[in-house]
């Protein structure tokens, strides 16, 4: 154990991360949230549950994922050593399965036979459809109409896996609206249904449960970097939409004060454009989808329409724990534009042979800002949260012409 | 005793259940809203529940959601809602409660909202996504000048219903069914069972039943298990039609007649 001066032990008993989090949902869901919290608190220390989850993580999900030294990218910048935590190598292509596997075991314990989920990029939808196929449970995925179009490949994958994909036409027709619709489904079918939330968002206990299931990322990374370099890293970088890959990566290091935690949000067309989702950079306190957290909203408390090239970051809120880490100044948050993310996608493809998800590319793009400030004996780890095959349509649309010339 | 509670009590003594009509503020449009509200009063509404439009309301079904989107096209905000309340109160002798999701209220400032709502003449507020657990934090520093109405649902345990009764004033809002607001084509026996259960537990406050009620027939089925009924989506839906106010007035008269205790 590292010495820690920071006493970080959130959430509290009320599901609060300092001022953030909580359970702001209609009364109908309260009993289900308590049931979930109760079941989870018993299961998380149950050796049988832990063994079953570990076995699935290893034999089905392919964990532990490697920590890869990015030697050519390191050479490109000529500064600190860059490592990549390879969540893109998880089964289904992103970190999302870490959480879905944990939650499907929870659903089984709760005796729920019907599973619902929301999805933006489709990665969480695919992960949920995958575990439902594996466990023989009915799966319904809510997805905004806009995302259904731009993530066509994942829609097809979910259908192949036996899930029903329900396009959502309300509001901005993206992740936020898919989440609203999933919550409304849960309010209606709460007695038979478990809602597998895909990120560290929503009412307590979800931000805690999803964090715990994702924290395997940081735990492995810590062991791996110590094995490789015999010391802790200096910087961790991860992209933040709802923020589950980032929290899962950061959590194990929160009490290691020397490790700088950096979350990267989507600046879309630029943070001055009004078309972005830089919640922690430009948002203010709000209450949204069951949690108190930073929120992009107008002067009347209406939630803003947001934009990112990456469907997985296209979200006006953010996990309450990130709001807490920001206010505590334990983590720093910056934003990266669509164009910068596309450049980083190409750079990583050419230098490391890895086509990252557009979400993940936001984290790599920040290296342009960070690396000049680093020293050669320092270490940076980028959480390579997902692979980019799903984004080929979007990338072709943006860059196809350049390749044909 | 709160004014709303007294009002419901007086109605019950006179031989009728209270009828609360929900209207989305600024719907069908900003100019005609107060006419729709006044017509509802003239047709037999005993209490008006006025909804603050919010684009991401979790508890609402498609009808109320689309009325919110429409109202938001005219940028209806809390200030407008308070002006509407003032205008209706200046012309009609009617109890008004304001219903709103937590975010617009938090954004306005909960303390200011409660003071300004009181000054506008509103007598109660309903914030459906603030339950027992968040009540103290959300309403911290606010006074009791206005009734805070909490909701029970079919999934609320007996203990919770007791606590909800204790923390509420004005009345307790009993959600009849699982799910969001909107017309139900039928109610099964478990619904009646739960209403009877809730009515027997709620002792301190008057109990009004809402969600899914759309006709005089529904009211007659439920009225033995409550002190009043709340109707929203069925009225809001009619307001969208060409003779909206006329049609909704007709429905409200039908509902009001059904509220008589035989």
């Amino acid at each position: 154990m590292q010495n820690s001066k920071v006493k970080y032990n959130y959430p509290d008993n009320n599901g609060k991360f300092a001022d953030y989090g909580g359970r702001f949902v209609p009364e109908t869901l309260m009993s289900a949230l308590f049931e979930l919290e109760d079941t989870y608190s018993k299961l998380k220390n149950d050796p049988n549950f832990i063994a079953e989850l570990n076995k699935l993580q290893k034999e089905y999900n392919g964990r532990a994922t490697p920590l890869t030294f990015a030697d050519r990218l390191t050479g490109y910048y000529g500064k600190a050593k860059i490592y990549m935590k390879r969540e893109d190598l998880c089964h289904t292509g992103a970190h999302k399965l870490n959480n879905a596997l944990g939650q499907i075991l929870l659903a089984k314990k709760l005796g729920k036979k019907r599973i619902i989920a929301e999805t933006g990029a489709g990665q969480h939808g695919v992960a949920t459809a995958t575990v439902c196929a594996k466990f023989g449970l009915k799966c319904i995925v809510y997805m905004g109409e806009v995302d259904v179009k731009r993530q066509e490949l994942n829609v097809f994958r979910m259908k192949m896996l036996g899930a029903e994909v329900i396009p959502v036409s309300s509001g901005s027709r993206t992740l936020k609206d898919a989440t609203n619709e999933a919550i409304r489904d849960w309010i209606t079918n709460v007695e038979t249904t478990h809602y597998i939330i895909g990120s560290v968002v929503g009412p307590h206990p979800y931000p805690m449960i999803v964090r715990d299931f994702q924290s395997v990322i940081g735990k492995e990374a810590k062991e791996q970097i110590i094995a490789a370099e015999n010391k802790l890293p200096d910087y961790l970088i991860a992209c933040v939409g709802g923020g589950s890959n980032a929290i899962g990566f950061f959590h194990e290091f929160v009490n290691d004060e020397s490790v700088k935690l950096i979350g990267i949000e989507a600046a879309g067309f630029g943070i001055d454009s009004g078309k972005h989702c830089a919640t922690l950079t430009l948002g203010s306190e709000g209450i949204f989808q069951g949690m108190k957290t930073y929120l992009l909203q107008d002067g009347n408390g209406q939630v803003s329409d947001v934009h990112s090239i990456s469907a997985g970051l296209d979200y006006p809120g953010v996990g309450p724990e990130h709001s807490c880490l920001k206010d505590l100044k334990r983590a720093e948050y910056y934003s990266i534009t669509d164009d910068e993310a596309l450049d980083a996608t190409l750079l990583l493809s050419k230098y490391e042979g890895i086509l990252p998800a557009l979400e993940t590319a936001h984290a790599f793009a920040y290296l342009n800002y960070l690396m000049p400030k680093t020293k050669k004996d320092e270490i940076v780890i980028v959480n390579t949260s997902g692979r980019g095959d799903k984004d080929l349509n979007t990338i072709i649309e943006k860059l196809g012409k350049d390749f044909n010339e | 005793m709160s004014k709303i509670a007294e009002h419901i009590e007086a109605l019950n003594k006179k031989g009728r259940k209270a009828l609360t009509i929900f209207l989305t503020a600024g719907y069908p449009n900003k100019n005609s809203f107060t006419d729709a509200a006044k017509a509802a009063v003239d047709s037999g509404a005993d209490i008006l529940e006025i909804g603050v439009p919010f684009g991401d309301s979790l508890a609402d079904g498609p009808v109320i959601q689309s009325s919110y989107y429409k109202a938001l096209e005219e940028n209806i905000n809390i200030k407008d809602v308070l002006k509407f309340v003032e205008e209706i109160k200046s012309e009609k002798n009617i109890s008004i409660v304001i219903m709103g999701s937590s975010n617009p209220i938090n954004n306005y400032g909960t303390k200011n909202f409660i003071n300004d709502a009181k000054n506008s003449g509103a007598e109660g507020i309903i914030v459906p996504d603030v339950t027992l657990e968040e009540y103290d934090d959300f309403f911290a520093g606010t006074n009791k000048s206005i009734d805070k109405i909490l909701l029970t649902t079919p999934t609320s345990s007996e203990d919770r219903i007791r606590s909800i009764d204790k923390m509420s004033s004005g009345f307790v809002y009993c959600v009849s069914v699982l799910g969001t607001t909107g017309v139900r084509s039928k109610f099964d026996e478990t619904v009646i069972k739960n209403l009877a259960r809730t009515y027997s537990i709620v002792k301190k406050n008057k109990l009004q039943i809402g969600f899914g009620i759309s006709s005089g027939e529904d009211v007659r089925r439920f009225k033995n298990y409550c002190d009043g009924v709340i109707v929203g989506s069925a009225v809001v839906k009619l307001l969208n039609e060409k003779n909206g106010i006329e049609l909704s007035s007709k429905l409200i008269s039908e509902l009001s007649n059904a509220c008589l205790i035989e």
Side-chain angles (χ1 to χ4, degrees):
Chain A
M1 279 293 286
Q2 299 294 316
N3 289 332
S4 72
K5 287 178 203 158
V6 187
K7 277 183 193 148
Y8 185 90
N9 188 25
Y10 292 114
D12 65 19
N13 288 335
N14 296 316
K16 294 273 167 71
F17 299 86
D19 293 335
Y20 302 102
R23 309 174 184 93
F24 291 88
V25 291
E27 171 69 14
T28 308
L29 293 182
M30 293 307 293
S31 63
L33 292 177
F34 283 117
E35 185 191 21
L36 181 61
E37 188 180 348
D38 202 42
T39 306
Y40 175 69
S41 64
K42 282 177 197 144
L43 273 189
K44 71 174 180 184
N45 298 318
D46 175 348
N48 293 329
F49 174 78
I50 295 168
E52 190 177 3
L53 182 57
N54 286 348
K55 190 169 150 70
L56 282 165
Q57 294 291 18
K58 184 177 171 202
E59 294 172 7
Y60 190 67
N61 196 9
R63 303 208 70 90
T65 60
L67 183 74
T68 308
F69 177 49
D71 55 336
R72 292 200 64 224
L73 199 62
T74 299
Y76 173 84
Y77 287 107
K79 291 282 192 169
K81 280 186 168 178
I82 302 167
Y83 281 87
M84 302 173 287
K85 178 59 179 162
R86 301 293 307 282
E87 294 301 299
D88 59 314
L89 295 178
C90 286
H91 179 42
T92 72
H95 68 292
K96 293 294 184 187
L97 199 69
N98 303 335
N99 167 50
L101 280 172
Q103 286 212 44
I104 202 77
L105 293 183
L106 261 176
K108 211 173 80 173
K109 194 75 185 176
L110 290 161
K112 303 282 170 80
K113 302 273 188 265
R114 180 176 177 271
I115 302 295
I116 55 172
E118 83 296 336
T119 200
Q123 288 303 104
H124 175 59
V126 166
T128 305
T130 298
V131 296
C132 286
K134 181 76 181 151
F135 283 78
L137 296 176
K138 187 177 167 63
C139 180
I140 289 131
V141 180
Y142 289 92
M143 189 169 189
E145 272 180 352
V146 171
D147 295 334
V148 167
K149 276 204 190 112
R150 62 177 163 176
Q151 304 287 338
E152 198 183 8
L153 214 61
N154 272 344
V155 174
F156 198 70
R157 280 170 83 190
M158 287 184 270
K159 287 181 177 169
M160 284 179 69
L161 292 159
E164 183 186 346
V165 179
I166 301 183
V168 174
S169 59
S170 58
S172 59
R173 296 175 289 139
T174 58
L175 178 56
K176 132 183 125 66
D177 309 284
T179 308
N180 285 340
E181 222 39 64
I183 294 174
R184 290 180 191 125
D185 179 309
W186 202 31
I187 292 172
T188 309
N189 301 297
V190 63
E191 286 168 329
T192 57
T193 299
H194 177 62
Y195 178 18
I196 301 190
I197 290 187
S199 191
V200 285
V201 298
H204 179 67
Y206 279 107
M208 174 182 76
I209 291 178
V210 178
R211 174 196 71 192
D212 289 356
F213 288 143
Q214 291 294 359
S215 64
V216 65
I217 302 172
K219 280 180 195 148
E220 287 176 7
K222 195 181 215 175
E223 278 178 23
Q224 290 163 328
I225 198 67
I226 287 172
E229 297 281 348
N230 200 26
K231 61 174 187 174
L232 286 172
D234 298 281
Y235 299 92
L236 302 184
I237 310 177
C239 64
V240 176
S244 71
N245 90 79
I247 283 289
F249 190 33
F250 294 168
H251 187 60
E252 186 67 16
F253 296 91
V254 164
N255 286 324
D256 300 318
E257 281 175 272
S258 66
V259 182
K260 293 186 185 65
L261 311 176
I262 301 173
I264 303 300
E265 300 186 302
F269 296 134
I271 53 171
D272 298 327
S273 69
K275 297 268 179 196
H276 60 79
C277 20
T279 307
L280 288 160
T281 309
L282 292 173
S284 56
E285 181 197 281
I287 302 170
F288 177 59
Q289 296 185 335
M291 57 185 166
K292 187 182 270 190
T293 192
Y294 276 80
L295 179 66
L296 290 167
Q297 58 187 323
D298 70 10
N300 294 323
Q302 299 297 334
V303 180
S304 305
D305 281 343
V306 294
H307 162 80
S308 168
I309 191 170
S310 134
L313 302 183
D314 204 349
Y315 187 65
V318 66
E321 189 161 10
H322 285 294
S323 297
C324 173
L325 289 171
K326 177 187 162 80
D327 282 9
L328 291 174
K329 298 190 163 53
R330 179 62 192 95
E332 297 164 37
Y333 297 88
Y334 304 98
S335 59
I336 284 294
T337 64
D338 289 353
D339 289 343
E340 290 174 311
L342 279 168
D343 288 346
T345 303
L346 296 182
L347 187 74
L348 196 68
S349 300
K350 285 189 182 149
Y351 275 76
E352 292 294 336
I354 293 171
L355 167 59
L358 286 173
E359 290 79 6
T360 310
H362 285 72
F364 278 98
Y366 187 69
L367 292 173
N368 286 338
Y369 298 93
L370 177 70
M371 295 315 289
K373 293 188 277 184
T374 62
K375 299 187 200 90
K376 280 204 167 187
D377 62 350
E378 289 184 318
I379 297 167
V380 178
I381 311 179
V382 183
N383 195 24
T384 312
S385 56
R387 66 174 192 233
D389 311 48
K390 69 181 175 63
D391 295 316
L392 280 174
N393 282 345
T394 307
I395 295 168
I396 289 167
E397 215 172 273
K398 288 275 171 189
L399 304 177
K401 263 192 290 174
D402 304 349
F403 284 97
N404 289 334
E405 274 165 14
Chain B
M1 206 185 211
S2 88
K3 267 176 122 179
I4 304 175
E6 275 175 19
H7 183 39
I8 299 173
E9 172 73 16
L11 289 165
N12 292 165
K13 279 201 174 134
K14 270 196 291 187
R16 52 178 285 119
K17 302 294 182 181
L19 174 63
T20 297
I21 296 296
F22 170 92
L23 297 168
T24 294
Y27 186 84
N29 54 59
K30 197 171 180 176
N31 286 330
S32 64
F33 169 71
T34 48
D35 290 339
K38 286 180 266 182
V41 178
D42 293 339
S43 318
D46 299 305
I47 299 169
L48 291 181
E49 179 191 353
I50 297 180
V52 178
F54 182 52
D56 295 272
S57 162
L58 298 178
D60 285 303
V63 170
I64 308 272
Q65 276 178 53
S66 57
S67 74
Y68 283 171
Y69 290 140
K70 177 110 188 284
L72 289 173
E73 283 171 18
E74 290 190 83
N75 290 313
I76 302 296
N77 60 25
I78 286 183
K79 279 193 182 134
D80 296 315
V81 176
L82 299 174
K83 264 187 244 153
F84 290 145
V85 173
E86 244 171 70
E87 191 186 329
I88 299 162
K89 290 290 272 195
S90 73
E91 292 187 39
K92 298 286 174 188
N93 181 19
I94 183 87
S95 294
I96 296 180
V97 299
I98 299 175
M99 199 285 292
S101 292
S102 57
N103 197 54
I105 294 172
N106 186 58
N107 189 283
Y108 187 90
T110 305
K111 241 165 129 174
N112 290 341
F113 171 71
I114 285 181
N115 289 336
D116 294 353
K118 172 74 186 172
N119 291 336
S120 76
E123 280 131 359
I125 58 164
I126 304 174
V127 190
D129 56 343
V130 173
T131 57
L132 291 171
E133 282 67 22
E134 301 298 341
Y135 185 100
D136 287 345
D137 277 3
F138 188 81
F139 290 118
T142 65
N143 54 39
K144 289 187 173 172
S145 63
I146 204 162
D147 287 325
K148 291 161 191 154
I149 295 149
L150 297 179
L151 299 92
T152 69
T153 67
T155 57
S156 307
S157 66
E158 285 191 21
D159 279 351
R160 284 187 74 83
I161 296 174
R162 265 183 223 106
S163 305
I164 287 164
D165 187 22
K166 196 175 145 201
M167 300 293 276
S168 297
S169 60
F171 62 90
V172 165
Y173 190 134
C174 170
V175 175
S176 64
V177 289
L178 299 176
T180 54
T181 56
V183 173
R184 301 294 195 278
S185 56
K186 60 175 187 191
F187 296 93
D188 63 29
E189 275 314 301
T190 59
V191 172
I192 296 291
K193 238 189 219 168
N194 172 59
L195 296 178
R197 171 189 81 128
T198 308
Y199 198 35
S200 74
I201 302 169
V202 172
K203 298 245 163 66
K204 184 188 127 195
N205 285 289
K206 292 288 178 181
L207 185 77
Q208 296 212 78
I209 299 176
F211 278 45
I213 300 170
S214 64
S215 66
E217 194 190 332
D218 291 340
V219 173
R220 278 185 286 272
R221 276 194 77 187
F222 288 168
K223 68 182 173 187
N224 288 339
Y225 311 101
C226 63
D227 306 305
V229 295
I230 303 165
V231 181
S233 295
V235 173
V236 170
K237 196 173 178 187
L238 289 176
L239 282 175
N240 194 29
E241 310 222 346
K242 207 170 149 208
N243 312 317
I245 293 186
E246 206 177 298
L247 292 170
S248 67
S249 296
K250 220 174 125 191
L251 173 65
I252 293 167
S253 303
E254 178 198 324
L255 295 164
S256 179
N257 286 334
C259 281
L260 288 170
I261 302 167
E262 285 110 34

